[in-house]
Amino acid sequence: MPRIELVVQVFVASPSDVKEEREILESVILELNKTWSKKLKLRLELNRWESNVYPNFGQDPQDVINRQIEDRYDIFIGILWGRIGTPTQRAESGTLEEFQQAYRQHKENSDSIDLMIYFKETPISPSKIDIEQLSKLKEFRYTLGDQGGLYWTFESLSDFESTIRSHLSLVTQRWADKMIKEYPYLISLSSNEEINVATQDRDAEENIELGLFDYYSILQEQAEQMGSVMGVIGEATIDIGQQIQRRTDGLLTIGNLTGAEAKKEAEKVIKLASDDMNRYSSTLKIQLPKFASSRDDVFESLSKAIMLFGDFESHDEDNYAVLEVQLLELRESIYTVKVGIVNFKQAISALPRISSHFNKAKRTLVDMLANTLKEFDSTLDLILVMEGAISQQRESLIIESKENI
């Protein structure tokens, strides 16, 4: 059955030295569309001049791109590293001209477009450094603050991937909320379609009950999803710990500097540390709802599976063993990640209050870590309850079996 959805146009602007990041962005958008399109009735569509522009003539090549792209996008993503790009007849580079076009749209209607700018901070090989390009890049970066912009930094491809995934997830939800307000009739139509489909499915399957192996399958799938989420959180926790340590080491080396130079370098390191914490907080904010949803499905499947054990008297111990092993593995995974988060939360809480930006990032992160630990503790409590239920059910069946002898 046809499905109504909102298409949000994403345009990426960047010089040639961040090709890998552009490819990662495309991959992340494809992934998010699989995750969010049905749930939010929204799909992201990536516009790149390589695939969305055809050959033509204008004042220069950038003019051809501008005429074809125009302002037909809702999210502008700029990615820069060591180059600002090739100059055009109207701007320092094609990338800057594309940004200026998007910024004009933002000034006219700030709610009509999201501008997301990212700077890569990985060291550049000396043989590839262009001093003039770096100077123009630095100048552009400084002007963003005056224009009311907040940019983001990253140091590796994996860092960029996790960051852009988190940010696009948040932006996607914002656009979904906006769609609900502006196009309620579309939501109504889509909801009716879903209700019709659900009704048809229910009518076709109302006499078909799920069996033990169905619940095993659901349990396995959702437990793997929980494991995947904990893996993301665990890796992000290790990564942020290493990043904070690097920032701390950077502050220590500033001791060799004096006066204004030392202050400038210290402010830079503190800004980077604040950005690191904000990125990690965004990761937790995205992952926790996934964890909670999968956890609920896991324990619902467990409960229903336990109720069916009486139908398999000759295989009772095998059935119990399957669930007990699953619960044991789940508990051990949570404990492992929890220990890392507890230690990191203590370390972050002990950091001094350095600046307003740093303090805000620190407070947000500590709150997110507390929420994460709360979710983990709640899950561990549920595991104990389910282990008790399994034990009780086993004992009941043993007693019943002896009485029937």
Side-chain angles (χ1 to χ4, degrees):
M1 178 176 290
R3 178 161 52 93
I4 298 174
E5 64 181 7
L6 178 70
V7 177
V8 175
Q9 300 288 341
V10 181
F11 179 73
V12 57
S14 68
S16 59
D17 59 343
V18 287
K19 180 181 178 181
E20 291 178 301
E21 283 78 6
R22 291 171 68 90
E23 293 173 350
I24 286 175
L25 174 62
E26 183 173 14
S27 175
V28 167
I29 286 178
L30 289 173
E31 174 191 331
L32 290 177
N33 282 338
K34 292 179 181 178
T35 304
W36 294 111
S37 61
K38 290 185 178 180
K39 182 176 181 180
L40 299 179
K41 303 177 183 66
L42 179 149
R43 176 169 56 85
L44 300 177
E45 184 173 285
L46 180 62
N47 290 321
R48 304 166 43 155
W49 70 265
E50 302 100 312
S51 55
N52 294 83
V53 173
Y54 55 84
N56 209 329
F57 283 82
Q59 297 180 26
D60 53 30
Q62 185 61 47
D63 182 53
V64 174
I65 295 175
N66 293 346
R67 288 175 180 271
Q68 293 184 35
I69 298 295
E70 296 181 338
D71 58 352
R72 296 194 299 270
Y73 49 83
D74 310 292
I75 302 174
F76 174 92
I77 298 178
I79 311 172
L80 300 118
W81 183 20
R83 295 179 52 79
I84 201 69
T86 304
T88 71
Q89 296 183 29
R90 295 158 300 280
E92 291 285 352
S93 75
T95 300
L96 292 190
E97 186 170 341
E98 289 162 350
F99 167 76
Q100 291 166 2
Q101 185 169 315
Y103 184 68
R104 282 194 294 270
Q105 180 180 338
H106 166 78
K107 293 293 289 183
E108 293 173 0
N109 182 2
S110 61
D111 197 44
S112 69
I113 186 171
D114 287 292
L115 277 70
M116 303 162 65
I117 311 296
Y118 298 86
F119 291 96
K120 184 175 181 177
E121 297 201 330
T122 304
I124 305 172
S125 172
S127 61
K128 296 181 179 180
I129 293 178
D130 186 320
I131 301 299
E132 182 179 359
Q133 286 280 310
L134 283 175
S135 176
K136 292 180 179 179
L137 181 65
K138 184 177 181 181
E139 181 180 353
F140 169 64
R141 185 166 173 170
Y142 283 152
T143 62
L144 291 178
D146 295 335
Q147 294 174 302
L150 171 66
Y151 59 80
W152 219 262
T153 61
F154 65 96
E155 296 184 347
S156 66
L157 293 177
S158 61
D159 184 14
F160 176 73
E161 182 175 358
S162 61
T163 299
I164 197 67
R165 181 183 291 109
S166 298
H167 289 175
L168 279 177
S169 295
L170 295 173
V171 171
T172 298
Q173 293 178 70
R174 188 186 79 82
W175 278 96
D177 293 340
K178 181 180 178 181
M179 179 186 71
I180 292 174
K181 295 178 181 178
E182 295 187 4
Y183 310 105
Y185 63 93
L186 291 183
I187 298 299
S188 177
L189 287 173
S190 296
S191 298
N192 289 336
E193 291 173 358
E194 292 182 356
I195 290 173
N196 291 335
V197 171
T199 301
Q200 293 169 9
D201 292 342
R202 186 176 65 251
D203 292 342
E205 298 180 6
E206 62 181 3
N207 296 320
I208 301 177
E209 297 179 348
L210 295 181
L212 183 62
F213 292 129
D214 296 314
Y215 290 121
Y216 278 174
S217 178
I218 296 172
L219 171 62
Q220 182 66 33
E221 179 183 348
Q222 295 304 316
E224 289 177 355
Q225 174 65 19
M226 287 181 69
S228 176
V229 170
M230 286 187 290
V232 171
I233 293 176
E235 291 178 3
T237 303
I238 294 173
D239 186 57
I240 182 65
Q242 294 173 344
Q243 289 174 339
I244 293 298
Q245 184 60 54
R246 286 199 298 270
R247 305 308 182 203
T248 303
D249 294 341
L251 285 174
L252 293 176
T253 61
I254 296 174
N256 299 323
L257 304 175
T258 59
E261 185 178 10
K263 182 176 181 297
K264 181 179 179 181
E265 287 301 315
E267 290 175 345
K268 177 182 177 181
V269 173
I270 292 168
K271 170 65 166 55
L272 292 173
S274 301
D275 292 344
D276 291 339
M277 290 190 288
N278 284 330
R279 282 194 294 271
Y280 180 68
S281 295
S282 296
T283 297
L284 294 180
K285 187 173 183 179
I286 294 299
Q287 296 301 323
L288 283 184
K290 296 180 183 178
F291 178 87
S293 177
S294 294
R295 178 197 61 208
D296 293 342
D297 289 340
V298 162
F299 289 110
E300 181 181 359
S301 300
L302 275 168
S303 300
K304 293 181 177 179
I306 292 173
M307 294 172 60
L308 296 175
F309 279 1
D311 296 339
F312 300 85
E313 294 179 358
S314 61
H315 302 287
D316 284 342
E317 288 302 318
D318 290 339
N319 291 329
Y320 291 130
V322 169
L323 300 188
E324 287 174 335
V325 168
Q326 191 75 67
L327 287 173
L328 176 62
E329 292 177 349
L330 192 57
R331 187 197 317 133
E332 291 178 345
S333 298
I334 294 175
Y335 271 131
T336 300
V337 179
K338 178 183 174 181
V339 169
I341 291 179
V342 167
N343 293 335
F344 182 63
K345 181 173 179 289
Q346 292 174 346
I348 292 297
S349 298
L351 292 175
R353 289 172 289 184
I354 301 175
S355 69
S356 58
H357 184 62
F358 181 90
N359 296 342
K360 181 179 180 181
K362 172 187 170 183
R363 183 172 60 252
T364 299
L365 178 52
V366 169
D367 290 341
M368 285 303 303
L369 290 170
N371 290 338
T372 303
L373 292 174
K374 183 178 179 180
E375 289 285 355
F376 284 1
D377 288 337
S378 175
T379 304
L380 291 171
D381 289 341
L382 284 172
I383 289 176
L384 290 176
V385 171
M386 294 309 301
E387 288 176 334
I390 291 174
S391 177
Q392 183 178 7
Q393 181 75 356
R394 175 192 275 131
E395 292 175 2
S396 298
L397 290 175
I398 291 174
I399 294 173
E400 181 180 343
S401 177
K402 288 180 179 180
E403 290 176 348
N404 292 332
I405 294 176

Coordinates of all heavy atoms in Angstrom, one line a residue, residues 332-403:
E332 N 26.0 -9.5 32.3 CA 27.5 -9.3 32.3 C 27.8 -8.1 31.3 O 28.7 -7.3 31.6 CB 28.2 -10.6 31.8 CG 28.1 -11.7 32.9 CD 28.8 -13.0 32.4 OE1 29.0 -13.1 31.1 OE2 29.1 -13.8 33.2
S333 N 27.1 -8.0 30.2 CA 27.3 -6.9 29.3 C 27.0 -5.6 29.9 O 27.8 -4.6 29.8 CB 26.5 -7.1 28.0 OG 26.8 -8.3 27.3
I334 N 25.9 -5.5 30.6 CA 25.5 -4.3 31.3 C 26.5 -3.9 32.4 O 26.9 -2.7 32.5 CB 24.1 -4.4 31.9 CG1 23.1 -4.6 30.7 CG2 23.7 -3.2 32.7 CD1 21.7 -4.8 31.2
Y335 N 26.9 -4.9 33.2 CA 27.9 -4.6 34.2 C 29.2 -4.0 33.7 O 29.8 -3.1 34.2 CB 28.2 -5.9 35.0 CG 27.3 -6.1 36.2 CD1 26.7 -7.4 36.4 CD2 27.0 -5.1 37.1 CE1 25.8 -7.6 37.5 CE2 26.1 -5.3 38.2 CZ 25.6 -6.6 38.4 OH 24.7 -6.8 39.4
T336 N 29.6 -4.6 32.6 CA 30.9 -4.2 32.0 C 30.8 -2.7 31.5 O 31.7 -1.9 31.8 CB 31.2 -5.1 30.7 OG1 31.4 -6.4 31.2 CG2 32.5 -4.6 30.1
V337 N 29.8 -2.4 30.8 CA 29.6 -1.0 30.4 C 29.4 -0.1 31.5 O 29.9 1.1 31.6 CB 28.5 -0.9 29.3 CG1 28.3 0.5 28.9 CG2 28.8 -1.8 28.1
K338 N 28.6 -0.5 32.5 CA 28.2 0.3 33.7 C 29.5 0.7 34.4 O 29.6 1.9 34.9 CB 27.3 -0.5 34.6 CG 26.9 0.3 35.8 CD 26.0 -0.5 36.8 CE 25.8 0.3 38.1 NZ 24.9 -0.4 39.0
V339 N 30.4 -0.2 34.6 CA 31.6 0.1 35.4 C 32.4 1.3 34.7 O 32.9 2.2 35.4 CB 32.6 -1.1 35.5 CG1 33.9 -0.8 36.0 CG2 31.9 -2.2 36.4
G340 N 32.5 1.2 33.4 CA 33.2 2.3 32.7 C 32.5 3.6 32.8 O 33.1 4.6 33.0
I341 N 31.2 3.6 32.8 CA 30.4 4.8 32.9 C 30.5 5.4 34.3 O 30.6 6.6 34.5 CB 28.9 4.6 32.5 CG1 28.9 4.3 31.0 CG2 28.1 5.8 32.9 CD1 27.5 4.0 30.5
V342 N 30.4 4.5 35.3 CA 30.5 5.0 36.7 C 31.9 5.7 36.9 O 32.0 6.8 37.5 CB 30.4 3.8 37.7 CG1 30.8 4.2 39.1 CG2 29.0 3.3 37.7
N343 N 33.0 5.1 36.5 CA 34.3 5.7 36.6 C 34.4 7.0 35.9 O 35.0 7.9 36.4 CB 35.4 4.7 36.1 CG 35.5 3.4 37.0 OD1 35.1 3.5 38.2 ND2 35.9 2.3 36.5
F344 N 33.8 7.0 34.7 CA 33.9 8.2 33.9 C 33.1 9.3 34.5 O 33.5 10.5 34.5 CB 33.4 7.9 32.4 CG 33.5 9.1 31.5 CD1 34.8 9.7 31.2 CD2 32.4 9.7 31.0 CE1 34.9 10.8 30.4 CE2 32.5 10.8 30.2 CZ 33.7 11.4 29.9
K345 N 31.9 9.0 35.0 CA 31.1 10.0 35.7 C 31.8 10.6 36.9 O 31.7 11.8 37.1 CB 29.8 9.4 36.1 CG 28.8 10.3 36.8 CD 27.5 9.7 37.1 CE 26.5 10.6 37.8 NZ 26.9 10.9 39.1
Q346 N 32.5 9.8 37.6 CA 33.3 10.3 38.8 C 34.4 11.3 38.3 O 34.6 12.3 38.9 CB 33.9 9.1 39.6 CG 32.8 8.3 40.3 CD 33.4 7.1 40.9 OE1 34.6 6.7 40.7 NE2 32.6 6.4 41.8
A347 N 35.0 10.9 37.2 CA 36.1 11.7 36.7 C 35.6 13.1 36.2 O 36.2 14.1 36.5 CB 36.9 11.0 35.6
I348 N 34.5 13.0 35.5 CA 33.9 14.3 34.9 C 33.4 15.2 36.1 O 33.6 16.4 36.1 CB 32.8 13.9 33.9 CG1 33.3 13.3 32.7 CG2 32.0 15.2 33.6 CD1 34.3 14.2 31.9
S349 N 32.7 14.5 37.1 CA 32.2 15.3 38.2 C 33.3 16.0 39.0 O 33.1 17.1 39.5 CB 31.4 14.4 39.1 OG 30.3 13.8 38.5
A350 N 34.5 15.5 38.9 CA 35.6 16.0 39.7 C 36.3 17.2 38.9 O 37.2 17.9 39.5 CB 36.6 15.0 40.0
L351 N 36.0 17.4 37.7 CA 36.6 18.4 36.9 C 36.3 19.8 37.4 O 35.1 20.0 37.9 CB 36.2 18.4 35.4 CG 36.7 17.1 34.6 CD1 36.1 17.1 33.2 CD2 38.3 17.1 34.6
P352 N 37.2 20.7 37.5 CA 36.9 22.1 38.0 C 36.0 22.9 37.1 O 35.9 22.6 35.9 CB 38.3 22.7 38.1 CG 39.1 22.0 37.0 CD 38.6 20.6 37.0
R353 N 35.4 23.9 37.6 CA 34.5 24.8 36.8 C 35.4 25.8 36.2 O 35.9 26.7 36.8 CB 33.5 25.4 37.7 CG 32.4 24.5 38.2 CD 31.5 25.1 39.2 NE 32.2 25.3 40.5 CZ 31.6 25.7 41.6 NH1 30.3 26.0 41.6 NH2 32.3 25.8 42.7
I354 N 35.6 25.7 34.8 CA 36.5 26.5 34.1 C 35.9 27.7 33.4 O 36.4 28.8 33.5 CB 37.3 25.6 33.1 CG1 38.0 24.4 33.8 CG2 38.3 26.4 32.3 CD1 38.6 23.4 32.9
S355 N 34.8 27.4 32.6 CA 34.2 28.5 31.9 C 32.7 28.2 31.8 O 32.3 27.0 32.0 CB 34.8 28.7 30.5 OG 34.5 27.5 29.7
S356 N 31.9 29.1 31.4 CA 30.4 28.9 31.3 C 30.1 27.8 30.3 O 29.3 26.9 30.5 CB 29.7 30.2 30.9 OG 30.2 30.7 29.7
H357 N 30.8 27.9 29.1 CA 30.6 26.9 28.1 C 31.0 25.5 28.6 O 30.3 24.5 28.4 CB 31.4 27.2 26.8 CG 31.1 26.3 25.7 ND1 29.9 26.2 25.1 CD2 32.0 25.5 25.0 CE1 30.0 25.3 24.1 NE2 31.2 24.9 24.0
F358 N 32.1 25.4 29.2 CA 32.6 24.1 29.7 C 31.7 23.6 30.8 O 31.4 22.4 30.9 CB 34.1 24.3 30.3 CG 34.7 23.1 30.8 CD1 35.4 22.3 30.0 CD2 34.6 22.7 32.1 CE1 36.0 21.1 30.5 CE2 35.1 21.6 32.6 CZ 35.9 20.8 31.8
N359 N 31.3 24.5 31.7 CA 30.4 24.1 32.8 C 29.1 23.5 32.4 O 28.6 22.6 32.9 CB 30.2 25.2 33.8 CG 31.5 25.7 34.5 OD1 32.5 25.0 34.5 ND2 31.5 26.9 35.0
K360 N 28.6 24.2 31.3 CA 27.3 23.7 30.8 C 27.4 22.3 30.2 O 26.6 21.5 30.4 CB 26.8 24.7 29.7 CG 25.4 24.3 29.1 CD 25.0 25.4 28.1 CE 23.6 25.0 27.5 NZ 23.1 26.0 26.5
A361 N 28.5 22.1 29.4 CA 28.7 20.8 28.8 C 28.9 19.8 29.8 O 28.4 18.6 29.7 CB 29.9 20.9 27.8
K362 N 29.7 20.1 30.9 CA 29.9 19.2 32.0 C 28.6 18.8 32.7 O 28.4 17.6 32.9 CB 30.9 19.8 33.0 CG 31.1 19.0 34.2 CD 32.0 19.8 35.2 CE 32.0 19.1 36.6 NZ 32.7 19.8 37.6
R363 N 27.8 19.8 33.0 CA 26.5 19.5 33.7 C 25.6 18.6 32.8 O 25.0 17.7 33.3 CB 25.8 20.8 34.0 CG 24.5 20.6 34.8 CD 24.0 22.0 35.3 NE 23.7 22.9 34.3 CZ 24.4 24.0 34.0 NH1 25.4 24.3 34.7 NH2 24.0 24.8 33.0
T364 N 25.5 19.0 31.5 CA 24.7 18.2 30.6 C 25.2 16.7 30.6 O 24.3 15.8 30.6 CB 24.7 18.7 29.2 OG1 24.2 20.1 29.3 CG2 23.9 17.9 28.3
L365 N 26.5 16.5 30.5 CA 27.0 15.2 30.4 C 26.8 14.4 31.7 O 26.4 13.2 31.7 CB 28.5 15.3 30.1 CG 29.3 13.9 30.1 CD1 28.6 13.0 29.1 CD2 30.7 14.2 29.7
V366 N 27.0 15.0 32.9 CA 26.8 14.4 34.1 C 25.3 13.9 34.3 O 25.0 12.8 34.7 CB 27.2 15.3 35.3 CG1 26.7 14.7 36.6 CG2 28.7 15.5 35.4
D367 N 24.4 14.7 33.8 CA 23.0 14.4 33.9 C 22.7 13.2 32.9 O 21.9 12.3 33.3 CB 22.1 15.6 33.4 CG 22.1 16.7 34.5 OD1 22.5 16.4 35.7 OD2 21.7 17.8 34.2
M368 N 23.3 13.2 31.7 CA 23.1 12.1 30.8 C 23.7 10.8 31.3 O 23.1 9.7 31.2 CB 23.7 12.5 29.4 CG 22.9 13.5 28.6 SD 21.2 13.0 28.3 CE 21.4 11.4 27.5
L369 N 24.8 10.9 32.0 CA 25.4 9.7 32.6 C 24.6 9.2 33.7 O 24.4 7.9 33.8 CB 26.8 10.1 33.1 CG 27.9 10.4 32.0 CD1 29.2 10.9 32.6 CD2 28.2 9.1 31.2
A370 N 24.0 10.0 34.5 CA 23.1 9.6 35.6 C 21.9 8.9 35.0 O 21.4 7.9 35.5 CB 22.7 10.8 36.4
N371 N 21.3 9.4 33.9 CA 20.2 8.8 33.2 C 20.5 7.4 32.7 O 19.7 6.5 32.8 CB 19.6 9.7 32.1 CG 19.0 10.9 32.6 OD1 18.5 11.0 33.8 ND2 18.9 11.9 31.8
T372 N 21.7 7.3 32.1 CA 22.2 6.1 31.6 C 22.3 5.0 32.7 O 21.9 3.9 32.5 CB 23.6 6.2 30.9 OG1 23.4 7.2 29.8 CG2 24.0 4.9 30.2
L373 N 22.9 5.4 33.8 CA 23.1 4.5 34.9 C 21.7 4.1 35.5 O 21.5 2.9 35.9 CB 24.0 5.1 36.0 CG 25.4 5.3 35.6 CD1 26.2 6.1 36.7 CD2 26.1 4.0 35.4
K374 N 20.8 5.0 35.5 CA 19.4 4.7 35.9 C 18.8 3.6 35.1 O 18.1 2.7 35.6 CB 18.6 6.0 36.0 CG 17.2 5.8 36.5 CD 16.5 7.1 36.5 CE 15.0 6.9 37.1 NZ 14.3 8.2 37.1
E375 N 18.9 3.8 33.7 CA 18.4 2.8 32.8 C 19.0 1.4 33.0 O 18.4 0.4 33.0 CB 18.6 3.2 31.4 CG 17.8 4.4 30.9 CD 16.3 4.0 30.7 OE1 16.0 2.8 30.8 OE2 15.5 4.9 30.5
F376 N 20.4 1.4 33.2 CA 21.1 0.2 33.4 C 20.6 -0.5 34.7 O 20.4 -1.7 34.8 CB 22.6 0.4 33.4 CG 23.2 0.6 32.1 CD1 22.4 0.6 30.9 CD2 24.5 0.8 31.9 CE1 22.9 0.8 29.7 CE2 25.1 1.0 30.7 CZ 24.3 1.0 29.5
D377 N 20.5 0.3 35.8 CA 20.1 -0.3 37.1 C 18.7 -0.8 37.0 O 18.4 -1.9 37.6 CB 20.2 0.8 38.2 CG 21.6 1.1 38.6 OD1 22.5 0.3 38.3 OD2 21.9 2.2 39.1
S378 N 17.8 -0.2 36.3 CA 16.4 -0.6 36.1 C 16.4 -2.0 35.4 O 15.7 -2.9 35.8 CB 15.6 0.4 35.4 OG 14.3 -0.1 35.1
T379 N 17.3 -2.1 34.4 CA 17.4 -3.3 33.6 C 17.9 -4.5 34.5 O 17.4 -5.6 34.4 CB 18.2 -3.1 32.4 OG1 17.7 -2.1 31.6 CG2 18.3 -4.4 31.5
L380 N 18.9 -4.2 35.3 CA 19.5 -5.2 36.2 C 18.5 -5.7 37.2 O 18.4 -6.9 37.5 CB 20.7 -4.6 36.9 CG 22.0 -4.4 36.0 CD1 23.0 -3.6 36.7 CD2 22.5 -5.7 35.4
D381 N 17.7 -4.8 37.7 CA 16.6 -5.1 38.6 C 15.6 -6.1 37.9 O 15.1 -7.1 38.5 CB 15.8 -3.9 39.1 CG 16.7 -3.1 40.1 OD1 17.7 -3.6 40.6 OD2 16.4 -1.9 40.3
L382 N 15.3 -5.8 36.7 CA 14.3 -6.6 35.9 C 14.9 -8.0 35.7 O 14.2 -9.0 35.7 CB 14.0 -6.0 34.6 CG 13.0 -4.8 34.7 CD1 12.9 -4.1 33.3 CD2 11.6 -5.3 35.1
I383 N 16.2 -8.1 35.5 CA 16.9 -9.4 35.3 C 16.8 -10.2 36.5 O 16.5 -11.4 36.5 CB 18.4 -9.2 34.9 CG1 18.5 -8.6 33.5 CG2 19.1 -10.5 35.0 CD1 19.9 -8.2 33.1
L384 N 16.9 -9.6 37.7 CA 16.8 -10.3 38.9 C 15.4 -10.9 39.1 O 15.1 -12.0 39.5 CB 17.1 -9.4 40.1 CG 18.6 -9.1 40.3 CD1 18.8 -8.1 41.5 CD2 19.4 -10.3 40.5
V385 N 14.4 -10.0 38.7 CA 13.0 -10.5 38.8 C 12.7 -11.6 37.9 O 12.1 -12.6 38.3 CB 12.1 -9.3 38.5 CG1 10.6 -9.8 38.3 CG2 12.2 -8.2 39.5
M386 N 13.2 -11.6 36.7 CA 13.0 -12.6 35.7 C 13.7 -13.9 36.1 O 13.2 -15.0 35.9 CB 13.5 -12.2 34.3 CG 12.7 -11.1 33.7 SD 10.9 -11.3 33.7 CE 10.8 -12.8 32.8
E387 N 14.9 -13.8 36.7 CA 15.6 -15.0 37.2 C 14.9 -15.6 38.3 O 14.8 -16.9 38.4 CB 17.0 -14.6 37.6 CG 18.0 -14.3 36.5 CD 19.3 -13.8 37.0 OE1 19.4 -13.2 38.1 OE2 20.3 -13.9 36.2
G388 N 14.3 -14.8 39.2 CA 13.4 -15.4 40.2 C 12.2 -16.0 39.7 O 11.8 -17.1 40.2
A389 N 11.6 -15.5 38.6 CA 10.4 -16.1 38.0 C 10.7 -17.4 37.4 O 9.9 -18.4 37.5 CB 9.8 -15.1 37.0
I390 N 11.9 -17.5 36.7 CA 12.3 -18.7 36.1 C 12.5 -19.8 37.1 O 12.1 -20.9 37.0 CB 13.6 -18.5 35.3 CG1 13.3 -17.6 34.0 CG2 14.2 -19.8 34.8 CD1 14.5 -17.2 33.2
S391 N 13.2 -19.4 38.2 CA 13.4 -20.4 39.3 C 12.1 -20.9 39.9 O 12.0 -22.1 40.2 CB 14.3 -19.7 40.4 OG 14.5 -20.6 41.5
Q392 N 11.2 -19.9 40.1 CA 9.9 -20.3 40.7 C 9.1 -21.2 39.8 O 8.5 -22.2 40.3 CB 9.1 -19.0 41.1 CG 7.8 -19.3 41.7 CD 7.1 -18.0 42.1 OE1 7.5 -16.9 41.7 NE2 5.9 -18.1 42.8
Q393 N 9.1 -20.9 38.5 CA 8.4 -21.7 37.6 C 9.0 -23.1 37.5 O 8.3 -24.1 37.4 CB 8.5 -21.0 36.2 CG 7.7 -21.8 35.1 CD 6.2 -21.6 35.2 OE1 5.7 -21.0 36.2 NE2 5.5 -22.2 34.3
R394 N 10.3 -23.2 37.5 CA 11.0 -24.5 37.5 C 10.6 -25.4 38.7 O 10.2 -26.5 38.6 CB 12.5 -24.3 37.4 CG 13.2 -25.7 37.5 CD 14.7 -25.5 37.8 NE 15.4 -25.2 36.6 CZ 16.3 -24.2 36.4 NH1 16.5 -23.3 37.4 NH2 16.9 -24.1 35.3
E395 N 10.6 -24.7 39.9 CA 10.2 -25.5 41.1 C 8.8 -25.9 41.0 O 8.5 -27.0 41.5 CB 10.5 -24.6 42.3 CG 12.0 -24.3 42.6 CD 12.1 -23.3 43.7 OE1 11.1 -22.9 44.3 OE2 13.3 -23.0 44.0
S396 N 7.9 -25.1 40.5 CA 6.5 -25.4 40.4 C 6.3 -26.6 39.5 O 5.5 -27.6 39.8 CB 5.7 -24.3 39.9 OG 5.8 -23.2 40.8
L397 N 7.0 -26.7 38.4 CA 6.8 -27.8 37.5 C 7.4 -29.1 38.0 O 6.9 -30.2 37.8 CB 7.5 -27.4 36.1 CG 6.8 -26.4 35.3 CD1 7.5 -26.0 34.0 CD2 5.4 -26.8 34.9
I398 N 8.5 -28.9 38.8 CA 9.1 -30.1 39.4 C 8.1 -30.7 40.4 O 7.9 -31.9 40.5 CB 10.4 -29.7 40.1 CG1 11.5 -29.4 39.1 CG2 10.9 -30.9 41.0 CD1 12.8 -28.9 39.7
I399 N 7.5 -29.9 41.3 CA 6.6 -30.3 42.3 C 5.4 -31.0 41.6 O 4.9 -32.1 42.0 CB 6.1 -29.2 43.2 CG1 7.3 -28.7 44.0 CG2 4.9 -29.6 44.0 CD1 6.9 -27.4 44.8
E400 N 4.9 -30.3 40.5 CA 3.8 -30.9 39.8 C 4.1 -32.2 39.1 O 3.3 -33.2 39.1 CB 3.3 -29.9 38.7 CG 2.1 -30.3 37.9 CD 1.7 -29.3 36.8 OE1 2.2 -28.1 36.9 OE2 1.0 -29.7 35.9
S401 N 5.3 -32.3 38.6 CA 5.8 -33.6 38.0 C 5.8 -34.7 39.0 O 5.4 -35.9 38.8 CB 7.1 -33.4 37.4 OG 7.6 -34.6 36.8
K402 N 6.3 -34.4 40.3 CA 6.4 -35.4 41.3 C 5.0 -35.9 41.8 O 4.7 -37.0 42.1 CB 7.1 -34.9 42.5 CG 8.6 -34.8 42.3 CD 9.4 -34.2 43.5 CE 10.9 -34.1 43.2 NZ 11.6 -33.5 44.4
E403 N 4.0 -34.9 41.8 CA 2.7 -35.2 42.2 C 2.0 -36.2 41.2 O 1.1 -36.9 41.6 CB 1.9 -34.0 42.4 CG 2.4 -33.1 43.6 CD 1.6 -31.8 43.8 OE1 0.9 -31.5 42.8 OE2 1.7 -31.2 44.8

